[in-house]
Amino acid sequence: MLNPFLKTEWLREGRNIRLPLMIIFYIAIMAFIMILFMVFNEESFQQGYYYNTTTYQYQFLIISSFQILTVLLLTPFTVSRLFIVDKEKNMLDQFEMIPGVSIQYVTAKMLLVLAVHILLYISGLPVSALACIYTGTSGVKLLRLGAMIVLYAFWSGAISIFFYTVCTKSVWAFASAFFVQLMFGLGTLVLAELFRNGSLMMNEAGRVAPEVIFLCLLLLSLNPISSYMGYYGSVTGDIGIFGTFCSHLGIDTSDKWFIFLFYKVSSLVCILIGVLFLALSIWYMEKRRRT
């Protein structure tokens, strides 16, 4: 293994009991949700209740959404564990004194975050595959779920790594990472709404200006929820409340260019944001080494 930091961190994480316990609880929760769905469906059929089979898609969506939400919740804690030993023993300051180490250090942290979430995804594959077969969902959606998990792990991990690199206190790093992710998730929606209201107030025709619509599109592309809604739409065939919100902003979600490009661009933006935060982490470590 060329990266010594990656080898050290992987051995440290692999020998810790937290990772096996995390996997056990992760699979147990998924299995519990799946059993609840199976019992509910069986009882509905036996009692002769009207049951719409399209709800199977939403049952698979609930399980996959739980997996995606787990990524966003666990990533800051995973990054915290990776940095806490180095911060407590002041090893990070010593690493920064060695030229070229910052790239290896940040890369090792990022790869380990991705490895943990890929391991969780692979561990949950039996339950996910059962949900996929039971609900009649295409196996391609299962592969796309894996891509979404890697995407969000990279996005959230890069943001968390940056703040744990910059902040001296772990509490401030965790709070800052959580706040920035919240701003990407909710702040962009609030800004888009403010721009829409401002445009309506200034436009006597009562329409949102095309420039404001384009600006709202840019803001929504920064929002990680947009990538999830692309996955949501591929499973259910409908983007639900997100489509209503876009129409509220004057965005035509039925346009073929929107359907073909927007969700792909949003996923690409998530990757670029992650790359940006990783680059800033490396730059900051190099800057501290030179000073």
Side-chain angles (χ1 to χ4, degrees):
M1 189 175 293
L2 298 178
N3 193 326
F5 294 103
L6 181 59
K7 181 179 180 180
T8 302
E9 294 291 349
W10 185 249
L11 289 174
R12 182 190 300 169
E13 188 70 19
R15 292 170 180 172
N16 200 304
I17 196 174
R18 288 176 304 210
L19 184 59
L21 287 177
M22 186 190 305
I23 294 174
I24 291 173
F25 280 104
Y26 179 78
I27 298 175
I29 294 173
M30 287 181 58
F32 177 73
I33 296 173
M34 188 62 203
I35 290 173
L36 282 181
F37 285 148
M38 295 176 72
V39 170
F40 174 76
N41 296 338
E42 182 67 20
E43 183 178 352
S44 298
F45 284 127
Q46 287 182 354
Q47 297 297 330
Y49 297 144
Y50 171 75
Y51 193 73
N52 189 354
T53 55
T54 57
T55 56
Y56 286 148
Q57 297 175 336
Y58 290 95
Q59 292 175 1
F60 173 77
L61 184 66
I62 290 173
I63 293 177
S64 57
S65 298
F66 163 76
Q67 294 178 267
I68 294 173
L69 182 62
T70 301
V71 174
L72 297 176
L73 294 177
L74 288 183
T75 298
F77 292 100
T78 303
V79 175
S80 176
R81 293 200 309 269
L82 298 178
F83 277 88
I84 191 169
V85 175
D86 295 344
K87 286 183 175 292
E88 287 179 351
K89 298 182 178 180
N90 295 322
M91 296 175 64
L92 183 58
D93 296 333
Q94 300 177 31
F95 292 149
E96 290 175 349
M97 298 172 62
I98 306 174
V101 165
S102 57
I103 298 178
Q104 289 186 325
Y105 186 82
V106 172
T107 303
K109 302 296 184 184
M110 187 72 258
L111 289 177
L112 194 59
V113 170
L114 293 177
V116 168
H117 287 293
I118 291 174
L119 181 61
L120 287 174
Y121 169 72
I122 294 175
S123 300
L125 266 181
V127 180
S128 300
L130 176 62
C132 197
I133 296 172
Y134 183 77
T135 60
T137 308
S138 170
V140 177
K141 304 298 188 297
L142 201 58
L143 297 177
R144 186 167 181 177
L145 172 62
M148 292 294 297
I149 288 175
V150 173
L151 174 67
Y152 283 116
F154 180 76
W155 177 82
S156 180
I159 294 175
S160 301
I161 288 171
F162 170 74
F163 285 105
Y164 275 95
T165 302
V166 172
C167 300
T168 55
K169 298 290 185 179
S170 297
V171 175
W172 290 112
F174 182 86
S176 300
F178 179 78
F179 177 77
V180 169
Q181 293 184 47
L182 188 64
M183 288 298 99
F184 274 111
L186 296 179
T188 52
L189 299 179
V190 174
L191 280 177
E193 181 66 21
L194 290 175
F195 283 127
R196 172 194 175 272
N197 292 338
S199 176
L200 290 177
M201 291 176 61
M202 298 178 63
N203 193 339
E204 296 180 355
R207 295 180 180 177
V208 182
E211 297 81 4
V212 176
I213 295 177
F214 179 74
L215 183 59
C216 291
L217 268 174
L218 290 179
L219 287 172
L220 290 180
S221 67
L222 293 172
N223 195 321
I225 298 177
S226 299
S227 300
Y228 170 77
M229 294 312 301
Y231 173 75
Y232 181 98
S234 69
V235 174
T236 64
D238 182 27
I239 55 176
I241 193 171
F242 183 74
T244 304
F245 181 75
C246 289
S247 301
H248 174 69
L249 297 175
I251 301 171
D252 184 12
T253 56
S254 62
D255 186 83
K256 63 178 182 180
W257 291 110
F258 180 90
I259 298 173
F260 181 73
L261 288 177
F262 178 73
Y263 304 113
K264 297 179 178 64
V265 170
S266 179
S267 299
L268 179 61
V269 169
C270 284
I271 296 174
L272 293 177
I273 290 173
V275 171
L276 175 62
F277 275 98
L278 290 180
L280 289 174
S281 302
I282 296 171
W283 173 81
Y284 185 79
M285 290 184 66
E286 287 292 321
K287 180 183 176 182
R288 286 200 299 197
R289 181 184 65 82
R290 290 192 296 268
T291 55

